[in-house]
């Protein structure tokens, strides 16, 4: 099977449109249509359902896509490995980082790494833990910061930090003088919180289910600055990792009566190829966390 055809097939599956896929691949639309028909003829299977608005995968196409992604990723890894044997480094690190870690934990780490390796490029992608995990598995990023629990078999990880999750309120809030909060007290308030997919939100959703409580999410945003502004203006309260609240003015951090600790790790694909740049960053983080 021609691996080029698999690349074309994966692009059409991604964009669900021949024209958009052709533009992304930088080939002519008719040539892409012919290539897809050729692949279907070789396999003697229909891979796409076609209509005027979009193209969707058949059941057979969905199965092929899983294998196609793996093959394409392995070819990319092999190409990179061969380049490095010739002394050519990838020269960049693609790192997925949740908002809080990106704002409070990683800036110093990133600048220190850049000082040591000034020629390497750092690409930082802000996303929730679920999205980061998926991007790692799909080979879209090389390294990712995730919560160290329920890790898929295909990923490996190194523990970085453990941080307590605390309630965060305005200095004039009725809870401001409390030494700790029950879950019931916390969920009795209007809340501002990250959207689903971030480990803070996942943890709170888990607690709601376990304690049979209902959360009143008045605001949902993945912008940390907006969350802090809303709390400081006393429109709602939130829960954040303690590392994000230690130096913030005009807010009070209150631990929960039943403490919540989150273990944060840096992860990568077990069978993926880590470039020299990736390995250098991974070792640097291990030594400096």
């Amino acid at each position: 099977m021609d691996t080029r055809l698999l690349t074309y097939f994966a692009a059409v599956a991604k964009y669900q449109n021949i024209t958009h896929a052709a533009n992304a691949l930088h080939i002519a639309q008719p040539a892409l249509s012919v290539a897809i028909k050729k692949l279907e003829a070789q396999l003697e299977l229909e891979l796409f359902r076609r209509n005027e608005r979009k193209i969707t995968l058949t059941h057979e196409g969905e199965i092929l896509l899983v294998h196609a992604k793996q093959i394409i990723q392995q070819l990319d890894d092999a190409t990179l490995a061969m380049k490095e044997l010739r002394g050519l480094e990838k020269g960049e690190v693609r790192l997925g980082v949740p908002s809080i870690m990106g704002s409070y934990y990683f800036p110093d780490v990133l600048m220190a790494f850049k000082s040591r390796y000034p020629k390497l490029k750092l690409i930082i992608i802000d996303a929730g833990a679920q999205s980061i995990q998926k991007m790692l598995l799909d080979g879209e990023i090389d390294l990712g910061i995730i919560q160290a629990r329920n890790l898929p078999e295909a990923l490996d990880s190194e523990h970085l930090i453990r941080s307590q999750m605390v309630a965060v309120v305005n200095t004039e809030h009725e809870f401001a003088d409390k030494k700790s909060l029950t879950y019931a007290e916390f969920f009795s308030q209007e809340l501002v919180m990250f959207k689903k997919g971030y480990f803070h939100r996942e943890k709170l959703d888990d607690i709601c289910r376990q304690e049979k409580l209902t959360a009143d999410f008045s605001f949902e945003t993945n912008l940390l600055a907006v969350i802090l502004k809303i709390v400081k203006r006393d429109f709602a309260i939130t829960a954040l990792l303690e590392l994000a609240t230690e130096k913030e003015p005009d807010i009070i951090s209150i631990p929960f009566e039943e403490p919540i600790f989150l273990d944060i790790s840096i992860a990568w694909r077990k069978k993926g190829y880590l470039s020299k740049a990736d390995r250098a960053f991974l070792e640097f983080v291990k030594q400096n966390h």
Side-chain angles (χ1 to χ4, degrees), residues 215-285:
D216 180 10
F217 292 115
S218 295
F219 303 90
E220 289 187 342
T221 175
N222 294 339
L223 299 174
L224 180 58
V226 174
I227 290 175
L228 290 170
K229 180 72 75 174
I230 289 170
V231 172
K232 290 177 180 181
R233 295 284 182 88
D234 205 17
F235 278 92
I237 69 174
T238 192
L240 297 171
L241 292 183
E242 199 168 29
L243 64 85
T245 65
E246 293 169 337
K247 297 180 181 179
E248 282 289 339
D250 304 322
I251 58 173
I252 300 291
S253 300
I254 310 169
F256 291 97
E257 283 189 4
E258 294 182 47
I260 304 171
F261 291 94
L262 295 183
D263 290 298
I264 311 301
S265 296
I266 184 167
W268 60 94
R269 286 183 300 124
K270 283 182 181 177
K271 295 184 179 179
Y273 182 80
L274 289 178
S275 70
K276 288 182 180 178
D278 295 328
R279 294 194 299 273
F281 183 80
L282 186 56
E283 288 305 313
F284 185 85
V285 171

Side-chain angles (χ1 to χ4, degrees), residues 49 65 68 72 74 96 102 118 122 136 166 168 203 240 248 263:
R49 298 185 188 91
L65 182 61
I72 292 166
Q74 288 171 356
L122 293 169
L136 279 170
V166 292
V168 185
K203 189 63 180 179
L240 297 171
E248 282 289 339
D263 290 298

Side-chain angles (χ1 to χ4, degrees), residues 169-177 231-232 234 250-252:
V169 305
N170 176 275
T171 53
E172 302 299 321
H173 192 276
E174 61 179 294
F175 291 163
D177 294 329
V231 172
K232 290 177 180 181
D234 205 17
D250 304 322
I251 58 173
I252 300 291

Side-chain angles (χ1 to χ4, degrees), residues 106-146:
F106 268 97
D108 290 341
V109 174
L110 295 174
M111 287 184 287
F113 178 77
K114 187 66 174 175
S115 296
R116 181 176 294 185
Y117 301 99
K119 293 184 179 180
L120 296 184
K121 180 179 180 181
L122 293 169
I123 300 174
I124 312 302
I125 299 167
D126 178 11
Q130 289 181 3
S131 296
I132 289 172
Q133 185 170 290
K134 185 177 185 304
M135 285 189 286
L136 279 170
L137 293 170
D138 290 344
E140 295 176 14
I141 57 177
D142 310 307
L143 301 166
I145 306 304
I146 61 176

Side-chain angles (χ1 to χ4, degrees), residues 12 21 32 35 81 83 129 180 186 199 204-205 214 269 277-278:
V12 175
L32 180 56
K83 283 183 178 179
S180 64
F186 177 78
F199 43 66
L204 291 181
D205 287 343
T214 301
R269 286 183 300 124
D278 295 328

